Amino acid sequence: MRKKKRNIPFGSIIILIMLLGSYLFFNFQFQFNDRSYIIDKIDISGNYLISQEEILTIITDIKLDTLNDSKIKMIHNTLKSNSFIKEVWVKVSHPSTLIIRLSEFEPEAILLGKKKHYLAADGNIYPYRFLDDYKEIPIVSGIKVNQKDELQKSLAMLKIIRNKPALLHLVSEICWNGEQLDIILTQSGIKVEIPGNNWHEKIFLLDRFLQRNYSKIKEKKYRKINLHYKDKIICS
C-alpha cells in the first residue's frame, strides 16, 4: 500500500519565506551600516585615574587601522568593563579622529581593612591603586566592605567635613570601633572619641572646638579629646 504524501501547508511556506527574507534584510542592513573609518588621531578625555597609555593598552588588540562600527562598540564594551570607569562614550569625528570620553568614579576615602579599597561618593567600593592626587584623602577603618550602614554614615560624615575648613585640614582617619567612633587628626595623631550613635551632633561640636583651639592642636598639647559627655569636652 503506497504511503500518502504529506503536503506542507501553503501558509507555513509563506511564513518561512517571510522569516528568511527578514533575516537576509536585517543582516544586509547591518553590514551596509557597519561603516569603516581610517583613524590617524585618538582624542581621550575625562581620565584622571587611568592614564592615556593604559587606555591605549586596553584597546591595543582592536585594529584601529580597519575601524568600523562593530569595533567602536567593542572599544566601548572593553573600556566599560574596567572597574575604574563608570561611563564611556566612543565616536568618530570627521574626518579621522577617534574620540573617547570617560566618566570615572570619584574617591572619597581609602577604606582600610585586610585590603585597601576606595570608597566612592556613590557608596560603591573600588579596588585600590596608588594615585598621587588622592594620597591625602581621609582613611576609613574598622569596618568591612559589606557594612553598608557604617559606610553611608562615613560618607555623610565626610560630606560635613568637606564643608568645614577646620575639619577638612585636620581629619586624617575615621575609625569605627564598635559603638565608638574615633577620629584621628592629621600630623598630631590626636584621637577624638565620639559616640557612634550621636556622631552628627558631635562632629559640629568638634568643629567649633578645633576653631577655638587650633594653636593648641597644632602644638600637640592634647593627646586625646573625649566628646562622650553631654555638656563638656575632656582633653588629656
Side-chain angles (χ1 to χ4, degrees):
M1 186 174 178
R2 295 175 63 185
K3 291 184 178 179
K4 191 175 180 180
K5 291 184 178 180
R6 290 186 178 180
N7 294 323
I8 300 175
F10 181 74
S12 298
I13 295 174
I14 295 298
I15 292 173
L16 288 172
I17 292 173
M18 290 176 64
L19 290 173
L20 179 60
S22 298
Y23 170 78
L24 292 173
F25 174 78
F26 285 112
N27 189 53
F28 173 77
Q29 285 290 99
F30 176 77
Q31 293 180 3
F32 181 77
N33 291 327
D34 197 19
R35 296 161 293 182
S36 297
Y37 309 93
I38 298 174
I39 299 299
D40 57 22
K41 181 182 177 182
I42 302 177
D43 180 8
I44 302 171
S45 63
N47 58 306
Y48 55 92
L49 300 178
I50 303 178
S51 67
Q52 295 202 12
E53 290 73 20
E54 286 181 274
I55 294 170
L56 293 174
T57 300
I58 290 171
I59 63 175
T60 189
D61 293 334
I62 302 170
K63 295 181 180 179
L64 299 180
D65 57 343
T66 57
L67 190 68
N68 54 30
D69 290 335
S70 299
K71 288 184 178 179
I72 288 176
K73 187 174 183 180
M74 192 183 302
I75 291 171
H76 174 277
N77 293 339
T78 302
L79 291 172
K80 189 69 168 64
S81 65
N82 187 283
S83 58
F84 290 97
I85 298 174
K86 290 197 299 186
E87 296 294 339
V88 185
W89 296 269
V90 184
K91 68 176 184 177
V92 174
S93 178
H94 184 78
S96 54
T97 301
L98 176 65
I99 296 178
I100 299 175
R101 299 285 183 261
L102 303 177
S103 173
E104 300 173 319
F105 78 89
E106 184 178 351
E108 287 291 311
I110 296 172
L111 187 59
L112 188 61
K114 290 183 178 180
K115 291 183 178 180
K116 287 183 180 180
H117 294 85
Y118 278 120
L119 175 61
D122 58 8
N124 287 325
I125 305 298
Y126 295 89
Y128 174 83
R129 62 186 298 179
F130 178 78
L131 299 168
D132 192 60
D133 290 344
Y134 291 92
K135 64 183 178 182
E136 294 185 0
I137 62 174
I139 293 171
V140 175
S141 62
I143 54 176
K144 298 178 180 178
V145 295
N146 61 350
Q147 291 180 262
K148 300 299 182 182
D149 187 49
E150 285 78 4
L151 290 174
Q152 289 302 322
K153 286 180 181 178
S154 299
L155 286 170
M157 195 178 306
L158 289 167
K159 186 176 180 179
I160 294 172
I161 288 171
R162 280 201 310 270
N163 294 313
K164 300 290 183 182
L167 291 172
L168 181 63
H169 295 101
L170 286 175
V171 173
S172 64
E173 183 175 349
I174 297 171
C175 179
W176 291 89
N177 184 15
E179 296 299 319
Q180 179 172 296
L181 186 62
D182 296 332
I183 292 180
I184 309 301
L185 301 184
T186 307
Q187 296 179 346
S188 60
I190 296 172
K191 183 169 73 171
V192 182
E193 297 179 347
I194 296 176
N197 60 353
N198 193 23
W199 66 267
H200 192 273
E201 178 185 335
K202 298 297 183 179
I203 204 77
F204 286 98
L205 179 62
L206 175 62
D207 178 58
R208 293 193 294 271
F209 176 82
L210 293 178
Q211 290 182 55
R212 293 194 302 266
N213 298 276
Y214 181 78
S215 59
K216 293 180 180 180
I217 297 293
K218 193 174 180 180
E219 294 168 9
K220 302 181 181 180
K221 291 193 174 181
Y222 304 130
R223 290 178 300 168
K224 186 166 64 174
I225 301 170
N226 189 334
L227 299 182
H228 277 266
Y229 298 91
K230 184 177 180 180
D231 299 319
K232 57 184 177 181
I233 297 174
I234 297 179
C235 302
S236 59

